[in-house]
């Protein structure tokens, strides 16, 4: 018996139907990014390892697929698109700031595979490079809400926090600077493991328990996702708490500005200020955010997008210090959410099947297919058989709804039977009528 091979753990093959959905998501995301004025760029799948580890934090370093090439250079597969973007921005000072950039690409993480979590997956990022204005955060959040609205998603929320608010609260609790990253790493697990477990986690990292407890007690309760007043009430309380800490007070004002602008633009009901949100990557320096939704398939609430401000990253790569902020969609998790909330409503591009009736009709069938393709209608030539029944069986198995038969009489008369499998209906149409009929029947065009 011949040996069969599986994909490596944490990866998977995507079948044609899954690829249609994925490509439809890519096309919708690209359209939204372009509508907001972002330019596309691309960066290499692997970078020098130092580029990826420079400011990623210990957790990310453990997840990097690293290797030594034939020239003894230490390289790594990118674990996100942000590190490469920071290196890119530092390498291209000639580009006019601010840069509005988007990128869709694969990333790799040596993470424990779990529900909705893979070791190889796609991210779709939008970033604004070269500005310190909080209006960048507002623009990205508005972009994200616009994308999700166009997808038809309705059951999700954005959670926000600010790394400098957290740092001010760490100072106030007496946690030393060299333990800051450990404290935030423990806090970032609050949603998953709860208060008692994160205290144990902090102790494991070597933090003083009373100081860490004082830190988390400053955070109070997370705001109600549906009540704008609660967001403002929490921020006002935090502002008063940090009145003697200039950085913390400024950070609170920045979050207040984002919430107030979201109110003006009509998406504030989607925002929740969550004081326990930390995001594990060390390069974040300002506002941070995540998009979350309950996924019934996995029986849990998952983060399917996130981002934040990373003002120091470009300078670390040798560029002029400058503001930078980005937002990233995890494409596989977004697709899981779309399948659950918007089942059957995501338009995917499917071909029509051109079915030659007899071996001598291949040229005629190809001519019909080419005319449809020129009109933007995707058309596949059926080459497995010349019998009508076999063509129909193939179309059903390939989830193709329209079949156009091309036989000797059809070619002579210039009228072709068009059969729609979902309705079991059939019409005879001329070449001029075919493309218009298919478009009006819902066939997506290219």
């Amino acid at each position: 018996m011949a040996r069969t091979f599986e994909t490596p753990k944490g990866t998977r093959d995507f079948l044609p139907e899954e690829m249609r959905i994925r490509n439809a998501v890519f096309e919708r995301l690209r359209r939204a990014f372009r509508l907001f004025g972002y330019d596309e760029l691309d960066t290499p799948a692997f970078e020098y390892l130092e580029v990826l580890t420079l400011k990623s934090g210990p957790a990310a370093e453990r997840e990097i697929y690293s290797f030594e090439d034939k020239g003894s250079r230490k390289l790594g597969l990118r674990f996100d698109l942000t590190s490469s973007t920071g290196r890119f921005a530092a390498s291209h000072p000639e580009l006019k700031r601010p840069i509005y950039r988007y990128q869709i690409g694969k990333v790799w993480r040596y993470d424990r595979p779990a529900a909705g979590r893979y070791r190889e997956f796609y991210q779709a990022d939008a970033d604004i490079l070269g500005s310190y204005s909080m209006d960048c955060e507002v623009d990205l959040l508005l972009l994200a809400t616009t994308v999700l609205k166009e997808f038809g998603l309705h059951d999700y929320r954005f959670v926000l926090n600010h790394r400098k608010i957290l740092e001010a609260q760490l100072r106030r609790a007496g946690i030393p600077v060299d333990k800051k990253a450990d404290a935030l790493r423990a806090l970032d697990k609050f949603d998953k493991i709860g208060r008692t477990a994160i205290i144990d986690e902090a102790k494991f990292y070597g933090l003083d328990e009373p100081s860490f407890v004082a830190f988390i007690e400053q955070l109070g309760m997370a705001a109600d996702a549906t009540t704008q007043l609660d967001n403002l009430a929490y921020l006002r309380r935090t502002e008063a708490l940090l009145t003697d800490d200039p950085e913390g007070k400024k950070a609170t004002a920045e979050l207040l500005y984002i919430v107030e602008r979201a109110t003006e633009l009509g998406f504030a009901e989607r925002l929740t200020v969550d004081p326990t949100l930390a995001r594990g990557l060390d390069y974040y320096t300002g506002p941070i955010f995540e998009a979350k939704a309950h996924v019934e398939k996995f029986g849990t609430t998952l983060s399917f997008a996130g981002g934040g401000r990373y003002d120091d990253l470009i300078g670390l790569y040798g560029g002029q210090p400058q503001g930078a902020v980005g937002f990233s969609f995890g494409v596989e998790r977004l697709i899981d959410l779309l399948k659950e909330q918007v089942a059957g409503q995501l338009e995917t591009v499917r071909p029509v099947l051109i079915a030659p009736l007899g071996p001598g009709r291949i040229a005629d069938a190809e001519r019909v297919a080419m005319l449809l393709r020129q009109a933007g209608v995707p058309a596949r030539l059926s080459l497995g058989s010349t019998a009508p029944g076999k063509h129909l069986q193939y179309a059903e198995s390939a989830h193709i709804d329209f079949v156009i038969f091309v036989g000797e009489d059809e070619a002579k008369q210039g009228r072709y039977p068009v059969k729609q499998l979902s309705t079991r209906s059939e019409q005879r149409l001329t070449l001029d009528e075919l493309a218009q009929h298919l478009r009006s029947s819902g066939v997506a065009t290219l």
Side-chain angles (χ1 to χ4, degrees):
M1 185 175 179
R3 180 186 174 188
T4 58
F5 292 86
E6 297 180 347
T7 63
K9 190 174 183 180
T11 66
R12 54 178 293 211
D13 295 318
F14 282 83
L15 301 178
E17 182 62 22
E18 295 172 309
M19 286 304 299
R20 288 190 187 98
I21 294 172
R22 178 189 267 183
N23 286 332
V25 169
F26 287 165
E27 288 162 14
R28 193 80 63 86
L29 287 168
R30 281 195 172 93
R31 178 179 178 274
F33 293 153
R34 290 195 298 264
L35 280 174
F36 273 70
Y38 290 70
D39 294 318
E40 188 169 16
L41 67 79
D42 195 18
T43 55
F46 55 85
E47 299 271 4
Y48 284 110
L49 187 58
E50 185 183 8
V51 168
L52 302 177
T53 60
L54 195 59
K55 192 67 173 172
S56 56
E61 288 181 28
R62 290 192 294 270
E63 294 174 3
I64 293 171
Y65 278 93
S66 58
F67 57 96
E68 197 171 276
D69 72 1
K70 293 179 180 180
S72 299
R73 289 171 288 259
K74 292 182 178 179
L75 306 174
L77 289 171
R78 62 193 182 198
F79 67 92
D80 68 4
L81 300 176
T82 305
S83 295
S84 294
T85 299
R87 191 265 310 149
F88 164 86
S91 303
H92 293 278
E94 77 280 5
L95 295 176
K96 180 70 175 174
R97 266 59 171 176
I99 299 170
Y100 290 77
R101 154 270 185 197
Y102 78 89
Q103 182 175 357
I104 299 175
K106 275 187 178 180
V107 298
W108 294 265
R109 294 182 186 177
Y110 190 74
D111 198 1
R112 186 187 298 274
R117 182 187 297 159
Y118 306 100
R119 289 176 171 172
E120 177 186 73
F121 55 97
Y122 273 94
Q123 286 188 336
D125 285 19
D127 293 80
I128 302 175
L129 313 170
S131 174
Y132 293 100
S133 170
M134 290 297 108
D135 285 305
C136 297
E137 276 83 348
V138 175
D139 192 65
L140 285 166
L141 287 167
L142 182 59
L143 165 60
T145 57
T146 302
V147 169
L148 297 176
K149 183 178 180 181
E150 289 190 1
F151 276 125
L153 288 174
H154 53 85
D155 187 14
Y156 71 91
R157 62 192 176 99
F158 289 112
V159 294
L160 289 86
N161 203 9
H162 200 301
R163 286 295 285 256
K164 288 185 178 175
I165 290 177
L166 289 170
E167 289 169 9
Q169 290 166 327
L170 287 166
R171 286 192 292 272
R172 193 169 183 274
I175 292 177
V177 172
D178 64 340
K179 287 296 181 183
K180 179 187 79 172
D182 290 328
L184 294 181
R185 202 183 322 156
L187 178 66
D188 205 34
K189 298 179 181 179
F190 179 84
D191 272 354
K192 296 176 183 175
I193 62 177
R195 175 189 167 99
T196 302
I198 67 166
I199 292 172
D200 290 340
E201 186 100 356
K203 287 159 61 180
F204 174 78
Y205 292 146
L207 278 96
D208 173 63
E209 182 178 350
S211 297
F212 186 76
V213 170
F215 164 58
I216 61 175
E217 285 183 349
Q218 289 180 79
L219 304 180
M221 295 176 64
D224 189 320
T226 61
T227 307
Q228 180 61 31
L229 179 62
D230 285 346
N231 284 337
L232 294 173
Y234 168 75
L235 290 171
R236 296 297 185 200
R237 182 180 73 82
T238 302
E239 190 176 42
L241 192 69
L242 302 176
T243 189
D244 295 328
D245 190 305
E247 277 201 2
K249 191 172 181 180
K250 180 175 181 287
T252 308
E254 289 176 345
L255 268 197
L256 275 166
Y257 179 80
I258 292 170
V259 171
E260 288 164 357
R261 290 284 288 119
T263 304
E264 294 169 11
L265 292 166
F267 65 91
E269 73 281 356
R270 293 288 182 187
L271 303 185
T272 303
V273 177
D274 182 351
T276 67
L277 178 67
R279 291 190 65 79
L281 294 169
D282 286 354
Y283 54 60
Y284 288 120
T285 60
I288 49 177
F289 27 80
E290 287 187 355
K292 295 186 176 185
H294 184 80
V295 181
E296 196 64 40
K297 170 182 174 182
F298 300 128
T300 188
T301 296
L302 292 178
S303 170
F304 64 93
R309 179 163 285 276
Y310 51 98
D311 288 344
D312 296 341
L313 193 62
I314 297 170
L316 282 175
Y317 292 126
Q320 185 72 22
Q322 58 198 275
V325 61
F327 193 93
S328 176
F329 289 95
V331 174
E332 272 69 34
R333 286 191 175 183
L334 177 59
I335 288 172
D336 285 332
L337 197 56
L338 288 169
K339 284 179 178 177
E340 188 169 284
Q341 289 193 21
V342 200
Q345 297 179 35
L346 191 64
E347 182 183 82
T348 60
V349 177
R350 298 173 183 273
V352 299
L353 190 69
I354 313 300
L357 301 177
R361 303 275 68 86
I362 298 294
D364 291 329
E366 190 68 81
R367 183 167 60 89
V368 173
M370 285 305 298
L371 285 168
L372 289 174
R373 292 165 187 158
Q374 288 165 11
V377 177
R380 178 187 298 179
L381 198 63
S382 182
L383 298 174
S385 175
T386 58
K390 294 290 186 183
H391 288 308
L392 292 173
Q393 287 176 14
Y394 174 73
E396 277 197 282
S397 66
H399 305 287
I400 294 174
D401 198 26
F402 288 91
V403 181
I404 301 171
F405 293 103
V406 181
E408 183 178 1
D409 291 341
E410 287 78 11
K412 286 179 180 177
Q413 296 167 11
R415 300 184 74 83
Y416 301 89
V418 182
K419 190 171 187 68
Q420 186 174 5
L421 275 64
S422 60
T423 62
R424 300 297 173 186
S425 61
E426 183 176 313
Q427 297 186 53
R428 284 183 172 266
L429 301 171
T430 67
L431 285 175
D432 291 338
E433 295 168 334
L434 279 175
Q436 183 178 349
H437 169 73
L438 291 166
R439 280 196 293 263
S440 65
S441 299
V443 174
T445 56
L446 297 173

